[in-house]
Amino acid sequence: MVRLDPDKLPRHVAIIMDGNGRWAKARLLNRVLGHEEGANSVREVVRCCMELAIPFLTLYAFSKENWKRPAGEIRALWELLRRFIQSELPELVAREIRVIHLGDTEGIPHEVLQELQTAVDATAAFDRLTVGLAINYGGRQEIARAARLFAMDVLNGKRQSADLTPQLLSRYLFTGEFPEVDLLIRTGGERRVSNFLLWQLAYTELYFTNVLWPDFREPQFLEALTDYQQRERRFGRTGEQVRAETQPAKLVDERTVEPLENTGFTH
Ligand code: IPE
Ligand code: IPE
Ligand code: MG
């Protein structure tokens, strides 16, 4: 029986959902069926976050590098994403879940972008759970884009170059309004970050499991959370200091959540 401390739950969990292809291959199925089954894991993890009142969940669904895959698999992935977003929307609205897109819109097939935009717009007012969908996303591309947006604000006189601090740069990222990522989970056995949330992972707790994404359900998610709760987050301090404090330790430059006018799903 898993026992979680409700006061020590992460506020923001990010997941690299890996292993769909291998799950399918082990069953002599087409890789695409692994992605289909993976969609059920997404539903279950979202439900768990709702039940546990974890307010932010970011899911890596399609990376910039995934464009290198065979055309047939890319097509199937987009079709699955489109169908998934479309079919889940009523449920998302009913449960007051907000959807945010992290990534570049350019390159995403029109029909997928349309569903995504519809979901983002229809759920914009909700805040019980925010689900960030990283689609056509790359961490380096995101940082370069943030630098570009900041440079534009300097050019048009809204900011001065000396204003740039880590906190301010954070606000130009797709995750501008999200709190720090407390826990990163990667399923599928690889121990790498594959261009995911490079900036945001500065002090994140990393959890790697060999479980393949389609097999990652409530028990596995609770196991990851239990593991997280056993860790001591020191943020540079000593263990003695951390244990003597009444407030939990924090990353020094944790930002205040104040959205910029210019970011969000408007590009
Ligand atoms: C992750 O599963 C899903 C996406 C990248 C879209 P994979 O398709 O990478 O599965 P494996 O790693 O080949 O098993
Ligand atoms: C990372 O998985 C991307 C997503 C889960 C969307 P990959 O399977 O594409 O990662 P690599 O190529 O093995 O690093
Ligand atoms: Mg993979």
Side-chain angles (χ1 to χ4, degrees):
M1 178 66 199
V2 191
R3 215 168 290 198
L4 289 170
D5 176 350
D7 296 327
K8 279 182 68 183
L9 283 168
R11 289 187 64 213
H12 183 180
V13 177
I15 308 182
I16 301 176
M17 309 182 290
D18 197 17
N20 297 349
R22 279 163 284 166
W23 183 92
K25 201 174 164 200
R27 288 161 182 76
L28 306 176
L29 299 170
N30 189 297
R31 292 177 55 85
V32 173
L33 290 165
H35 299 311
E36 301 257 0
E37 189 56 30
N40 294 323
S41 297
V42 172
R43 270 187 214 99
E44 194 153 323
V45 168
V46 168
R47 184 176 55 72
C48 288
C49 287
M50 284 293 278
E51 284 169 9
L52 294 166
I54 292 173
F56 289 86
L57 173 67
T58 298
L59 301 171
Y60 205 6
F62 193 94
S63 73
K64 287 283 187 186
E65 289 73 24
N66 289 148
W67 288 108
K68 296 178 199 155
R69 293 196 176 196
E73 180 168 346
I74 294 177
R75 223 177 303 120
L77 270 169
W78 287 126
E79 177 51 20
L80 172 64
L81 265 166
R82 192 196 62 74
R83 256 193 297 126
F84 183 76
I85 298 167
Q86 187 184 42
S87 65
E88 294 306 304
L89 186 56
E91 188 76 14
L92 294 168
V93 171
R95 295 194 195 183
E96 302 188 353
I97 297 173
R98 181 177 188 190
V99 176
I100 290 197
H101 173 224
L102 317 179
D104 294 324
T105 51
E106 201 179 312
I108 298 182
H110 182 69
E111 323 79 66
V112 183
L113 196 55
Q114 230 169 7
E115 291 302 338
L116 190 55
Q117 178 82 65
T118 302
V120 168
D121 291 345
T123 62
F126 302 141
D127 63 0
R128 286 189 63 189
L129 167 63
T130 299
V131 177
L133 295 178
I135 297 174
N136 196 22
Y137 173 90
R140 288 190 169 173
Q141 288 84 349
E142 179 186 39
I143 295 168
R145 173 182 173 275
R148 230 167 17 239
L149 290 173
F150 176 74
M152 275 158 56
D153 277 355
V154 172
L155 279 176
N156 63 33
K158 276 204 213 156
R159 303 250 180 221
Q160 297 196 312
S161 60
D163 293 345
L164 195 63
T165 58
Q167 296 93 310
L168 183 60
L169 188 69
S170 292
R171 289 168 52 197
Y172 285 89
L173 300 174
F174 292 117
T175 50
E177 301 168 51
F178 290 33
E180 297 291 343
V181 183
D182 295 311
L183 172 64
L184 172 79
I185 297 171
R186 181 170 188 146
T187 63
E190 313 300 346
R191 282 152 169 80
R192 54 179 173 253
V193 289
S194 304
N195 203 13
F196 190 42
L197 302 176
L198 297 181
W199 174 280
Q200 296 88 335
L201 296 181
Y203 249 111
T204 299
E205 296 296 330
L206 308 178
Y207 179 85
F208 297 102
T209 170
N210 291 333
V211 174
L212 306 173
W213 178 247
D215 291 327
F216 192 88
R217 300 293 162 99
E218 179 171 344
Q220 291 74 24
F221 187 52
L222 296 180
E223 201 176 314
L225 293 174
T226 306
D227 188 285
Y228 169 81
Q229 293 203 328
Q230 282 155 9
R231 301 182 187 195
E232 183 174 69
R233 304 189 73 192
R234 292 192 282 272
F235 297 100
R237 318 193 75 174
T238 67
E240 289 73 18
Q241 284 177 302
V242 171
R243 287 186 291 274
E245 278 169 356
T246 47
Q247 294 292 319
K250 275 189 175 176
L251 184 58
V252 176
D253 60 33
E254 200 168 22
R255 60 193 175 280
T256 50
V257 182
E258 195 188 307
L260 292 177
E261 297 155 37
N262 273 342
T263 48
F265 199 99
T266 46
H267 21 266

